């Protein structure tokens, strides 16, 4: 037996009956010779980690646009926190950790610069609309062509929105994503002076926990208990409702109309300007993106691809190059 076959046999013997087994995968869009050492889901995880899109996450905004300080989350640190939470749940429920990790690491590959502000900007200007989960799937299918398994692709596109992932591992990511961003955004908002811990409703702190770690532990424990009882991914009604209340608190006091988003309109205007420029000057798109148009992809979609792939810094640099007179930059320097 190869190392991969030995691992597949361990999956058969140790994973729960409702877990997704790598040897039963629905496969890839194109056939690929099996790796002798890794299961298909382990291979997908590695292909994601080695992708250009994954590297760019380290320089993409999570919530706070251009934060001052080294400890605020970027899109990459968010992704790693989601993966850690998701793997803990998968391990406790004897589900497939490799599949869970691959989905977690790939779920935000299609996110724009400047977080959800950038997503809203492209959604407003692109005639086809823009959703970061759909863009993540386009990233791995069309732009980088990673040829991932059906289960990983399904989990990535279904991590948000109305459709649930087909696998329990994919459904874990929907919850793990919320657990991660609610709690780390509270942490960053307190660090940034936007809110105080005392501003959070006392009854939610008493029930969910009065520290970052305790709240995550409460929510993860709720997921594990629910899964053990129901062989499904979820939370008890009380904990789930309180988690959503905490999420709404963040929308009311942090995500909307606060100092944290004071730069949002500028970021949106900048990305709109970049979009309009490249729609009018498609010949200036990099060759990798121009090729997509020659293969039949609409210009507007390809321009969105290019902008969505930009990091915060690169989008600012491109905007300066296109719209700010060089003499002004010299004055600033």
């Amino acid at each position: 037996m190869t190392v991969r076959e030995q691992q597949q046999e361990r999956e058969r013997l140790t994973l729960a009956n409702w877990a997704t087994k790598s040897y039963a995968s629905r496969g890839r869009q194109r056939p690929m010779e099996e790796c002798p050492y890794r299961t298909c889901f382990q291979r997908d995880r590695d292909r994601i980690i080695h992708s250009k899109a994954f590297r760019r996450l380290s320089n993409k905004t999570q919530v706070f646009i251009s934060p001052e300080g080294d400890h605020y989350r970027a899109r990459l640190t968010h992704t790693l926190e989601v993966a850690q939470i998701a793997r803990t749940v998968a391990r406790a429920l004897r589900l497939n950790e490799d599949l869970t990790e691959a989905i977690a690491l790939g779920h935000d590959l299609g996110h724009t610069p400047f977080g959800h502000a950038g997503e809203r900007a492209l959604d407003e200007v692109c005639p086809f609309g823009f959703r970061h989960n759909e863009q993540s799937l386009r990233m791995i299918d069309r732009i980088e062509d990673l040829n991932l398994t059906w289960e990983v692709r399904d989990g990535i596109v279904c991590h948000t929105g109305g459709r649930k992932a087909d696998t329990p591992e994919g459904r874990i990511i929907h919850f793990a994503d919320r657990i991660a961003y609610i709690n780390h955004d509270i942490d960053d908002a307190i660090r940034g002076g936007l809110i105080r811990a005392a501003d959070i409703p006392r009854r939610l702190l008493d029930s969910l926990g009065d520290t970052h770690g305790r709240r995550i532990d409460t929510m993860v424990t709720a997921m594990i208990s629910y899964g053990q009882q129901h062989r499904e991914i979820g939370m008890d009604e009380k904990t789930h409702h309180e988690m959503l209340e905490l999420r709404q608190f963040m929308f009311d006091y942090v995500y909307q109309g606060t100092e944290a988003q004071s730069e949002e309109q500028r970021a949106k205007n900048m990305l709109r300007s970049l979009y309009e420029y490249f729609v009018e000057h498609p010949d200036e798109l990099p060759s990798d993106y121009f090729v997509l148009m020659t293969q039949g992809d609409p210009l507007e979609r390809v321009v969105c691809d290019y902008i969505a792939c930009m990091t915060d810094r690169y989008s600012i640099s491109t905007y300066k190059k296109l719209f700010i007179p060089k003499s002004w930059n010299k004055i600033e320097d």
Side-chain angles (χ1 to χ4, degrees):
M1 296 176 70
T2 66
V3 173
R4 170 180 53 79
E5 289 169 336
Q6 292 172 12
Q7 293 189 78
Q8 291 174 340
E9 179 63 11
R10 281 197 294 272
E11 287 183 3
R12 186 183 70 80
L13 294 173
T14 62
L15 294 186
N17 290 337
W18 58 300
T20 306
K21 316 301 194 297
S22 62
Y23 54 81
S25 170
R26 298 192 194 184
R28 305 179 185 277
Q29 292 181 299
R30 298 185 312 280
M32 180 183 293
E33 184 179 354
E34 293 280 11
C35 175
Y37 311 112
R38 298 170 295 172
T39 69
C40 59
F41 299 146
Q42 291 170 346
R43 196 175 193 182
D44 283 0
R45 174 202 59 204
D46 296 347
R47 291 172 76 83
I48 289 169
I49 289 175
H50 289 283
S51 70
K52 295 187 290 292
F54 186 78
R55 294 196 294 275
R56 287 193 295 264
L57 295 178
S58 63
N59 289 303
K60 289 194 175 190
T61 290
Q62 172 61 24
V63 170
F64 297 91
I65 297 175
S66 301
E68 294 182 4
D70 295 330
H71 300 288
Y72 292 92
R73 272 76 169 185
R75 188 63 55 180
L76 179 60
T77 47
H78 162 72
T79 294
L80 296 177
E81 291 184 33
V82 172
Q84 176 270 319
I85 291 169
R87 285 190 60 185
T88 297
V89 175
R91 186 183 304 119
L93 297 178
R94 293 170 49 224
L95 298 176
N96 196 312
E97 281 189 62
D98 296 323
L99 172 57
T100 303
E101 184 179 30
I103 298 169
L105 294 177
H107 81 280
D108 269 354
L109 291 181
H111 238 303
T112 62
F114 306 113
H116 289 287
E119 181 176 16
R120 286 189 285 270
L122 293 186
D123 187 46
E124 290 169 5
V125 296
C126 181
F128 306 104
F130 187 93
R131 298 289 184 274
H132 78 272
N133 58 317
E134 296 171 359
Q135 186 67 19
S136 293
L137 185 62
R138 181 170 168 80
M139 177 65 66
I140 60 178
D141 282 355
R142 191 81 178 99
I143 301 173
E144 292 211 36
D145 190 19
L146 300 183
N147 194 25
L148 303 183
T149 57
W150 184 93
E151 292 79 8
V152 172
R153 295 172 60 250
D154 174 72
I156 286 173
V157 76
C158 293
H159 82 270
T160 189
R163 187 164 72 88
K164 289 184 178 181
D166 191 67
T167 65
E169 292 83 0
R171 295 192 291 277
I172 287 175
I173 305 306
H174 171 79
F175 284 89
D177 185 36
R178 288 188 172 190
I179 292 172
Y181 76 67
I182 290 170
N183 286 288
H184 65 50
D185 290 350
I186 288 174
D187 193 35
D188 284 351
I190 292 173
R191 178 176 290 109
L194 298 176
I195 60 172
R196 300 168 302 161
D199 295 329
I200 303 172
R202 186 70 242 178
R203 61 185 178 79
L204 295 180
L205 293 178
D206 290 341
S207 181
L208 296 175
D210 57 0
T211 68
H212 175 79
R214 288 171 184 159
R215 285 189 294 273
I216 290 179
D217 184 68
T218 298
M219 296 177 190
V220 168
T221 299
M223 286 191 68
I224 294 171
S225 297
Y226 189 92
Q228 290 172 334
Q229 293 175 32
H230 302 284
R231 288 169 53 90
E232 183 49 270
I233 303 304
M235 289 181 180
D236 62 274
E237 186 175 352
K238 178 177 180 294
T239 304
H240 188 240
H241 181 72
E242 290 172 346
M243 182 183 76
L244 295 181
E245 280 193 83
L246 195 56
R247 180 174 180 264
Q248 188 59 51
F249 168 83
M250 291 299 290
F251 270 94
D252 293 341
Y253 291 92
V254 176
Y255 300 146
Q256 298 174 342
T258 71
E259 183 183 344
Q261 295 302 300
S262 61
E263 297 297 301
E264 175 171 334
Q265 193 58 49
R266 292 183 183 181
K268 290 175 68 174
N269 290 340
M270 183 180 71
L271 295 189
R272 286 195 199 101
S273 297
L274 290 175
Y275 174 86
E276 292 166 359
Y277 180 87
F278 285 109
V279 166
E280 294 175 3
H281 303 85
D283 55 309
E284 296 187 32
L285 288 168
S287 58
D288 290 350
Y289 296 91
F290 196 82
V291 166
L292 295 176
M293 287 191 295
T294 66
Q295 296 173 347
D297 289 11
L299 168 62
E300 296 85 355
R301 174 58 67 198
V302 174
V303 171
C304 279
D305 291 338
Y306 181 43
I307 295 173
C309 285
M310 292 180 176
T311 62
D312 294 14
R313 290 184 300 192
Y314 184 71
S315 63
I316 293 171
S317 173
T318 302
Y319 181 85
K320 286 182 176 180
K321 178 182 177 181
L322 294 176
F323 297 106
I324 306 299
K326 293 182 179 180
S327 58
W328 291 13
N329 289 327
K330 290 180 180 179
I331 293 174
E332 290 179 1
D333 294 339

